[in-house]
Structure formats: structure tokens, C-alpha cells
Amino acid sequence: MPESLQKIYIQVAVALPISDTFTYTVTGELIEEVAVGKRALVPFSGRKITAYILRIIPPGKRKGIKDIITVIDTRPLFPPQMVEFFEWLSHYYLYPIGLVIKGALPAGLNVRIPDRTRMPSRGWLDRVGLLKMVFITLKKGTTIDRSLFDRKRLPRNEDEFLEMMIKKKEVSLREINSVFSNGAYLADKWVRKGFLKKTRRTVARDILDETLFIPTKPPPLNSKQKEVAERINEKLRDNTFFTYLLYGITDSGKTEVYYHAVRAAKELGKQSIIMVPEIALTVSMASLFKARFKDRVAILHSALSTGERYDQWIRIAKGDADVVIGARSALFAPLPRLGLIIVDEEHDLSYKQEEKFRYQARDAAIMRAKLSDAVIILGSGTPSVQSYQNAAIGKYGLLTMPKRILKRELPEIQVIDMAKLKRGSAAQDESIMSPPLKEAIEENLTQKKQTILFLNRRGFSSLYLCRFCGETIRCPNCEVSLTYHKYGNNLLCHYCGFSIKPPKRCPSCNSEDLKPYGFGTQRVAQVLESLFPKARVERMDRDTMRRKGEAQQVLKRFMQHETDILVGTQMVTKGHDFPDVTLVGVISADLSLNYPDFRAGEITFQLLSQVAGRTGRGNMPGKVIIQTFNPSHYAITATKDHDYTKFFSREIALRRQVNYPPFSLIAYVRFLGNSKTKTEKIAAHIGMKIRNTIKQQSKRKNAVEVLGPVEAPMAKLKGKYRQQILIKSRTSRYLNQLLKDVESFSTQILSSSGVRMIIDVDPYQMM
Ligand SMILES: [Zn+2]
Ligand SMILES: [Zn+2]
């Protein structure tokens, strides 16, 4: 054998925070085992570490190249087509390629998996669709005597457990376990005593453990759905990259269109990915596909166990799945014949990962489709401004589905002008609960219907508002709301650093009624309790939902109508179907309308539309009441009229005027440190260097704008002081190059400073 065949060269990425790739040699028997997409164990700075094989490369004039130690996997974890995608992600989001791949692969892989490990292939099938569950039932004819409760030496919770059994008669073992840590023991004990009975039944599951009806036979498409499906088929047959925006209102039948698209792709021998914004939503989507495609469906999201994820991953890599359904991480499904990607609810902010590798999964999906010559469908009832603009200028194909399938009425939306109200009455609680909202809740309670009250807060309420005309003070440069800082008693722009003392009088109406504004869900719940002492009220927000599974318990109680009023933040807005909810109240639209964020209008419109969609899902028509000091703001009036295009035309004009995305690209450079002065100093130093860098490259001068450094709206978070620099650029290439320069010159400035720098490209988190 000639020497060249006894030795090959490979390019690898290592799972370390290093942006470079490395070359190793492979000799002897390992040559046959090496393949792109497998992991190898390599020597690296005196250690043995995991490396991902990116390419087999031709030998060059290389010296001192080390041999790999071994090949870890028996089969590739990703197809060669994905290497270019990983490289793009690493380049665009400035994140080390080895860590991009590590994050993409199922967790737990970095320990060495023994060769020939085979996970049982059944487990995941049971996670959706039909599922056998154990129920504990009160035996017929037996009563549990309350005197049992009084006996001594009962294990803790035993009386509560028995009370629950008496009240509910039948409870799933899973529910018992979720309530009592010793649930299995308690159930067994009382089964042995002959009071309770254990049964096993097949049920369909969804996140709330409610039975889910799954029609296995697809319903016939209506003419609009057919037309849309046909336009998608056309592009699928072309075998080239194409992006569609599917703008379809809630209940317009998007899911059936998705199903037909996936089926059409399958008939062409192509595989599909469906992404949904939340793990909880994968279950209902997967149930539908599972019922129709049987075991050709795979599921990928971070709530699967390590074994399950690994198993799913290998099935996908082997080509055993026609469609992969999942949250953000489904983007990385190792499909070798990818022909279609569907991003459902494309406007949803959860597509942006906000830690470590800060990618935007929808945007990245478009790039993956491009690199795979695939068709991508972005679906939404309230499309992002960016996507709709791309459709408007012809970059994307626009598909619209403007009508509800079941011809259910859209909810009636009433807007309450809180400023007007204040003039009439001075009652304190009325600024939280206006008389019309109060009356509507009262009536709903009498009718035995349920109410959702929504308060958008996100732990941030430093808003300075004129109670008379509803104006907030905005930055003259950036058009975003200024944030009130109690500490220094000033109003600050978190984009450019503009700062003023709070004026005594409102600049637009001259009223003196200008003051900080804000309250939380707790306050709302208190007001409810005093107004409706008999109503069953529950709160759902980050403060009350610390424990795992707590949110689902609250939603479940609400679903079963054990609660009359649910007060909550964003958590209550998504995906759930509550047929008894006929009233939704938005306590204050102003809180999101005045985020220090250029997307404040967009976020408000999407949130309000989404919240409004929570009502009237049963047979009764729904009603929505929005309380605001800004009743004439276009985001509010467009929501009231269910008019997306009206909202869009106003919003896009504003973005163009102030040069925000989609008319520019932005990035944040953030600084986090334990010491306030040190963090400020480093941020100022790097800010100055960024400006100098731009000055030196005359071509860039007009294309890039640097704002800051300035204190972040949440100036201190988790013990770290935060500073930020905002960079706006006309082109993505300039921005990327500049950020690479920033990264390289900052290494030295940051070293042993105790300050960490984070680069966030296309940021969504402005706080
Ligand atoms: Zn005013
Ligand atoms: Zn500003």
C-alpha cells in the first residue's frame, strides 16, 4: 500500500471556546472508520478531547500534525451537507464552531458512547399519541371513613392524599406523583388495604393530560387551503430554495396546509422539519403527524431524556424519519434529504436563543433551507415586521389565509381610555380595574364563565407616564421610551445614553400628572380579591411559577374550571384552548407599548392579538377589554380592528424613518462585571476602540453607527453590572467584519479584568 493511502488528513472542530478548526492525521485501521459527521478523540494541549470531523482534506505541506486517538462513533451524527451550515452559524453569530456543533447535537453525547449502544426504540413513540396510563380509583362500594385521618403515625400528606381520592374518585398515578413525593407509596398502600383500585387505560395525551381527539383521516381542504398547498407544491417540485410567508389568522387551517406540504415533500422523496416556538406545542403538532405518518415522525426538543434524544437523533441520521417536529433545536435535525422546513408562529420571540449561542432559529432555518435547496414556509397570524417586509418587496412569496375555518366570530375588542377615566374618579383601584372591566368580570362570574387577565410586565416597570394624555418621554435621537431611574432620579435612553431630569410638566399636554407607573400581577390579584371575594383567582407569572410543573398544574385547574379568573403574564397567552373563557382583560397595554425597545409596537400588536385569541374558542362569542392610556396608538387600533396590514404600514414607516431593522442590521456588545466602575471603564475603552476602528476604514464611516456604551435598562442582573453598546449597520458584511475586529482587539483588554463581553447579533433582548 502506498504511503498516501496509509494516512489521511482531516479537518476537525473541537468542543472548546476556540474559533479555529484543526488538522489531524488518521492512520491504519482508523482510516476506514473515519467519516464526516463522526466524532474523534484527539490529543489537544496535553489532553484528550472530543472533535467533530468536518472534512477529509488533501495532504498539504504540513508538519508536526498529530494522529487522532480513535473514532468515537460507529455512524455519522450529521450528514456532510450540514458542515457548511454549522460554519455559517459560527461565522454569522460569532460563536466557536465546535460549540455550535456541540449545542446542536443531543446533550449527553460528549461522554463516550460505547460502540454498538442501541437505545430501545419504543420509548419515544409513547411520548405522543396514544399512551397507557395508570389510574387509581376509589373502589366501588367503599367509602373512606374520615376517622381514618385521625390515626397517629400516618405518613405526612396521607390525609391530604385520601381527601383528594375522596373528592376526585379517580386520579392518574402521574398526577398523584406530581402532587405527593411519596405518591406511589401512598397509592400502593391503600390499594393493598383494599380501598383503592389500580387500572391501566389507553389515553391520548397532551400537555395538560387532557384527552386529545386526533382525526387520523385528514379533512378535505377548502378552496383557499388547496390554492396555498398547490403553490407550495410547485416550489417543492422545482428543487430550489424558496421562502414563503404564510400569513393565516388563528383557526384558518394552517396545520392542514403544513400536513399537505410535508406529504407532498415525502412523495418527492424529501424530508421535512417543522419548528414550533414552545416544547408544549410540539405535542399537539406531533400527535397529528404521528396519527397519519405513524413511526416516520421524529421529535426533537430539549425536554426529552438524554437516551430519547440520542435515539431520535440516530433514527433521523439514518433516514428513518420523514418529518422531524420540535422546538428551536429541531433546526439541527441531521436530515440528509431535507426538502422542506416549516417555522410555525415565525414571529415568536422564543425562536431567539438568549444564552450562550445566541442564534435566531427562524433566520438560521432560512439559511439551512438555502444551503439545502429546500423550500421554507414561515407561518404566522401576526407576521414579524421583518418577514412581512420581505414578502412585500418580493423576496418571499406571500400566501394568505384570511378566514377562519369554522366561521367563528372574531372577538369583540373594547378599548378603555384610562386617562379619561382618571379624570372622572379618583379611586385608587380604578387605575388597575376600570369600571367597564369590573362589570364585565362580574357578569362573566354570574354566567359561570371564565376570565383571563393579562398583565405584561417581564419584571420591568420603570415607565414614566403622563396620566392625563398617556404620553411617555421619548429619546429625541432614537424614538424609544426613556427609562426612569429612581436612584439618580433621571430618565435615560438605553440606546444612545441621552439623559434628562424628569420634567415637571408633560411636554405634550402640559399636565403635571406625570409620574412613574407600574404594578405587578400580585397587586392585580389583590384588587380582584377585594372586588370579588367569592371568585376563585389564581396567579401565573415567573414569581409564582418557580417550581417545575407548577404552571401546568395551574393551567390544568383552569382548564377543569376549578378557577374562575387567571391573572398572568405572557405565560397565559400561548397555545392553550380554554372553551369556557369568554372574557380577556388586558390590564395595561402601556407597559409593553413603552418598552425601551424599537420593537415595542410590534411586540404589543402581537401580544394583544395573541391574548385576544384566547377568548371565544368554545361556542360562546368572546370579548376582549384593553385598558390603556394610549387608545389611539396604531398598535392598539389595529388590534381592535383585527387589521394586520394597517399595523404593518405604520410600523414599517417608523422603522424606515429611524433606520431600524429591517432597514439596518444591529448587534449588541454587552459587558457584565461584578464591579460597576470597572465594567463602565472597560465598556468605555472598547467603545472608543470601536469608533476608532470605524474611523480608520473610511468606507465604513457612513454605513455604521455606534451608540453607547450606556447602562442597560436592567442595570444590574444576577449580581452583575451591565453596560451595552448598540451597533447599527447598513450591511450584514460590514457588521460581521467589525464584530470580528471587536472580538480580536478586546481579548487583551478583557483578560483578567473580571468583565465579560457578550456579542449578540440581531438581538431581541433589549434589556
Ligand atoms: Zn400629557
Ligand atoms: Zn437615544
Side-chain angles (χ1 to χ4, degrees):
M1 200 189 274
E3 205 204 342
S4 62
L5 288 180
Q6 290 165 14
K7 188 188 211 175
I8 60 169
Y9 292 81
I10 56 171
Q11 182 194 10
V12 303
V14 293
L16 292 173
I18 297 169
S19 32
D20 295 330
T21 56
F22 300 89
T23 305
Y24 284 87
T25 47
V26 185
T27 54
E29 288 173 348
L30 286 177
I31 291 178
E32 275 185 30
E33 285 187 42
V34 155
V36 172
K38 287 186 181 180
R39 291 169 303 157
L41 199 64
V42 301
F44 194 88
S45 313
R47 290 196 291 154
K48 291 176 186 175
I49 62 160
T50 304
Y52 309 103
I53 303 170
L54 303 178
R55 285 184 181 85
I56 315 280
I57 51 174
K61 289 184 214 127
R62 298 183 177 87
K63 273 187 183 158
I65 293 176
K66 291 193 179 114
D67 270 12
I68 64 164
I69 299 161
T70 187
V71 175
I72 298 176
D73 304 293
T74 51
R75 64 172 68 247
L77 295 171
F78 52 86
Q81 300 93 297
M82 282 184 77
V83 171
E84 213 183 326
F85 179 53
F86 289 137
E87 285 170 336
W88 177 83
L89 287 166
S90 167
H91 171 80
Y92 187 83
Y93 292 105
L94 289 97
Y95 199 70
I97 183 156
L99 297 184
V100 168
I101 299 174
K102 184 182 173 187
L105 296 176
L109 267 185
N110 282 306
V111 290
R112 187 176 170 184
I113 306 252
D115 293 0
R116 274 163 290 285
T117 295
R118 291 300 318 263
M119 305 282 168
S121 63
R122 289 270 342 147
W124 75 275
L125 285 173
D126 294 333
R127 293 191 71 90
V128 288
L130 298 178
L131 175 79
K132 278 225 174 350
M133 269 175 76
V134 176
F135 287 86
I136 305 297
T137 319
L138 204 60
K139 252 192 184 172
K140 261 205 186 111
T142 35
T143 46
I144 295 180
D145 192 334
R146 293 195 69 87
S147 67
L148 289 169
F149 291 19
D150 301 322
R151 285 195 199 157
K152 289 274 154 67
R153 284 174 320 214
L154 284 183
R156 68 194 164 87
N157 296 337
E158 187 151 10
D159 48 348
E160 279 173 43
F161 167 73
L162 291 171
E163 287 231 35
M164 179 167 100
M165 288 311 307
I166 292 168
K167 193 175 144 222
K168 295 196 169 177
K169 309 249 173 354
E170 178 176 89
V171 187
S172 73
L173 185 60
R174 192 195 318 189
E175 187 183 341
I176 293 174
N177 281 326
S178 72
V179 182
F180 305 101
S181 57
N182 54 347
Y185 163 80
L186 290 171
D188 272 346
K189 176 175 169 181
W190 288 91
V191 167
R192 273 202 312 275
K193 282 177 181 276
F195 289 98
L196 302 177
K197 189 172 70 176
K198 210 182 234 184
T199 51
R200 197 178 264 276
R201 273 215 316 274
T202 305
V203 293
R205 67 175 256 170
D206 74 356
I207 45 152
L208 299 172
D209 282 353
E210 294 300 318
T211 317
L212 198 69
F213 176 67
I214 306 161
T216 47
K217 216 176 141 210
L221 298 184
N222 64 30
S223 61
K224 192 72 205 175
Q225 286 173 314
K226 265 191 205 139
E227 180 196 320
V228 166
E230 189 37 50
R231 284 185 63 193
I232 296 167
N233 291 358
E234 263 168 43
K235 292 296 174 190
L236 281 170
R237 285 192 294 264
D238 279 354
N239 297 317
T240 51
F241 165 61
F242 193 80
T243 311
Y244 272 121
L245 173 64
L246 171 56
Y247 164 40
I249 63 165
T250 320
D251 291 341
S252 60
K254 289 195 286 285
T255 310
E256 288 301 331
V257 168
Y258 296 160
Y259 165 71
H260 280 268
V262 171
R263 203 181 62 176
K266 186 184 169 190
E267 279 161 9
L268 293 166
K270 297 173 182 191
Q271 298 164 307
S272 308
I273 294 174
I274 302 179
M275 288 159 66
V276 293
E278 307 250 313
I279 291 172
L281 300 176
T282 59
V283 180
S284 55
M285 185 70 82
S287 302
L288 184 132
F289 278 86
K290 182 70 189 55
R292 298 179 188 169
F293 283 135
K294 306 284 182 301
D295 59 354
R296 301 292 297 174
V297 181
I299 294 149
L300 265 192
H301 57 67
S302 53
L304 298 179
S305 74
T306 307
E308 285 168 330
R309 276 192 85 189
Y310 177 80
D311 191 36
Q312 293 289 300
W313 192 273
I314 296 300
R315 282 186 65 236
I316 298 165
K318 274 166 65 184
D320 287 352
D322 293 321
V323 54
V324 177
I325 299 169
R328 205 163 48 210
S329 59
L331 168 67
F332 303 110
L335 294 165
R337 291 174 285 112
L338 180 63
L340 173 69
I341 304 179
I342 294 166
V343 184
D344 192 27
E345 307 292 337
E346 63 87 27
H347 65 276
D348 199 292
L349 301 184
S350 23
Y351 280 121
K352 179 73 196 303
Q353 172 141 307
E354 292 295 358
E355 54 185 16
K356 290 180 186 158
F357 176 27
R358 294 174 163 76
Y359 66 99
Q360 215 302 355
R362 174 207 51 212
D363 298 349
I366 295 169
M367 184 48 82
R368 179 145 189 219
K370 189 175 178 186
L371 293 171
S372 315
D373 292 324
V375 171
I376 178 164
I377 305 169
L378 310 177
S380 174
T382 51
S384 64
V385 168
Q386 174 187 324
S387 297
Y388 202 82
Q389 170 71 357
N390 280 327
I393 60 174
K395 202 172 156 194
Y396 298 170
L398 180 64
L399 306 169
T400 53
M401 290 172 46
K403 289 213 174 73
R404 283 188 163 188
I405 279 194
L406 296 172
K407 301 206 174 65
R408 281 197 298 220
E409 296 281 313
L410 289 165
E412 180 207 332
I413 299 179
Q414 187 185 352
V415 176
I416 309 290
D417 185 347
M418 297 302 278
K420 255 192 199 133
L421 208 81
K422 264 251 56 226
R423 276 171 243 177
S425 157
Q428 245 284 303
D429 288 350
E430 282 193 2
S431 62
I432 294 175
M433 198 75 62
S434 65
L437 180 58
K438 190 186 144 196
E439 279 155 33
I441 295 173
E442 216 154 45
E443 198 192 315
N444 228 27
L445 284 168
T446 325
Q447 308 267 333
K448 303 249 178 304
K449 292 291 172 189
Q450 289 175 294
T451 303
I452 291 178
L453 293 179
F454 171 73
L455 181 69
N456 183 18
R457 201 165 158 265
R458 279 180 168 177
F460 186 83
S461 62
S462 307
L463 174 64
Y464 215 77
L465 186 86
C466 171
R467 304 296 179 93
F468 201 73
C469 73
E471 278 295 310
T472 51
I473 317 278
R474 290 182 171 257
C475 174
N477 312 319
C478 310
E479 273 300 313
V480 296
S481 287
L482 299 179
T483 318
Y484 177 61
H485 285 241
K486 215 172 172 180
Y487 183 71
N489 188 36
N490 62 354
L491 294 166
L492 184 68
C493 169
H494 290 286
Y495 281 11
C496 71
F498 172 85
S499 156
I500 46 164
K501 287 282 166 207
K504 288 245 169 4
R505 287 173 175 277
C506 169
S508 73
C509 77
N510 213 28
S511 154
E512 285 181 25
D513 207 359
L514 193 68
K515 52 188 169 204
Y517 173 80
F519 45 81
T521 48
Q522 195 182 358
R523 182 86 185 89
V524 177
Q526 276 170 8
V527 172
L528 280 171
E529 266 159 42
S530 71
L531 290 176
F532 312 106
K534 284 196 190 126
R536 296 166 296 176
V537 178
E538 275 206 272
R539 243 173 92 198
M540 190 166 154
D541 54 33
R542 268 184 218 150
D543 296 338
T544 50
M545 298 296 122
R546 289 243 171 78
R547 262 180 40 211
K548 213 185 158 196
E550 219 159 338
Q552 285 196 10
Q553 289 299 318
V554 170
L555 288 173
K556 192 174 169 184
R557 283 195 289 273
F558 193 60
M559 176 75 96
Q560 292 172 343
H561 207 142
E562 290 169 28
T563 326
D564 301 311
I565 305 174
L566 183 61
V567 183
T569 53
Q570 267 81 337
M571 285 177 164
V572 303
T573 65
K574 280 181 196 165
H576 318 290
D577 243 340
F578 303 111
D580 279 352
V581 172
T582 48
L583 174 66
V584 168
V586 176
I587 301 292
S588 168
D590 306 293
L591 293 178
S592 69
L593 215 44
N594 295 297
Y595 272 162
D597 184 333
F598 74 88
R599 286 194 188 88
E602 179 176 359
I603 293 169
T604 304
F605 179 78
Q606 285 162 353
L607 266 175
L608 294 180
S609 303
Q610 200 162 23
V611 177
R614 294 304 98 209
T615 177
R617 298 184 75 87
N619 299 321
M620 297 276 291
K623 183 172 183 169
V624 180
I625 295 181
I626 299 173
Q627 302 188 143
T628 178
F629 284 94
N630 290 280
S632 56
H633 190 284
Y634 62 92
I636 309 272
T637 55
T639 306
K640 185 172 161 27
D641 301 342
H642 304 281
D643 190 347
Y644 176 82
T645 43
K646 175 176 162 186
F647 158 75
F648 175 79
S649 59
R650 290 291 301 271
E651 180 70 23
I652 201 76
L654 205 83
R655 300 270 181 101
R656 184 181 281 121
Q657 189 189 328
V658 204
N659 195 27
Y660 284 125
F663 300 99
S664 65
L665 287 115
I666 60 171
Y668 256 128
V669 184
R670 289 204 172 87
F671 303 89
L672 277 61
N674 292 325
S675 147
K676 189 166 188 272
T677 42
K678 190 88 198 180
T679 311
E680 284 170 1
K681 225 176 109 186
I682 298 257
H685 186 176
I686 291 177
M688 188 196 72
K689 290 210 67 152
I690 294 175
R691 290 196 166 84
N692 286 343
T693 309
I694 296 167
K695 251 182 237 154
Q696 282 157 20
Q697 293 147 324
S698 56
K699 243 169 84 187
R700 281 186 186 173
K701 253 187 215 158
N702 301 317
V704 192
E705 196 181 335
V706 181
L707 302 175
V710 62
E711 200 171 61
M714 288 195 231
K716 195 180 178 189
L717 197 67
K718 292 174 187 157
K720 304 278 182 206
Y721 290 93
R722 292 149 41 95
Q723 290 272 321
Q724 56 197 26
I725 295 172
L726 181 65
I727 304 176
K728 273 197 209 173
S729 167
R730 287 229 192 97
T731 75
S732 149
R733 207 156 48 87
Y734 277 161
L735 183 65
N736 188 264
Q737 189 49 53
L738 177 65
L739 292 172
K740 290 221 155 97
D741 292 347
V742 172
E743 200 172 46
S744 68
F745 70 61
S746 302
T747 317
Q748 218 196 331
I749 304 171
L750 291 161
S751 75
S752 68
S753 68
V755 177
R756 203 154 66 89
M757 183 176 88
I758 293 166
I759 292 177
D760 191 352
V761 181
D762 303 337
Y764 280 76
Q765 192 67 265
M766 298 303 186
M767 302 293 194

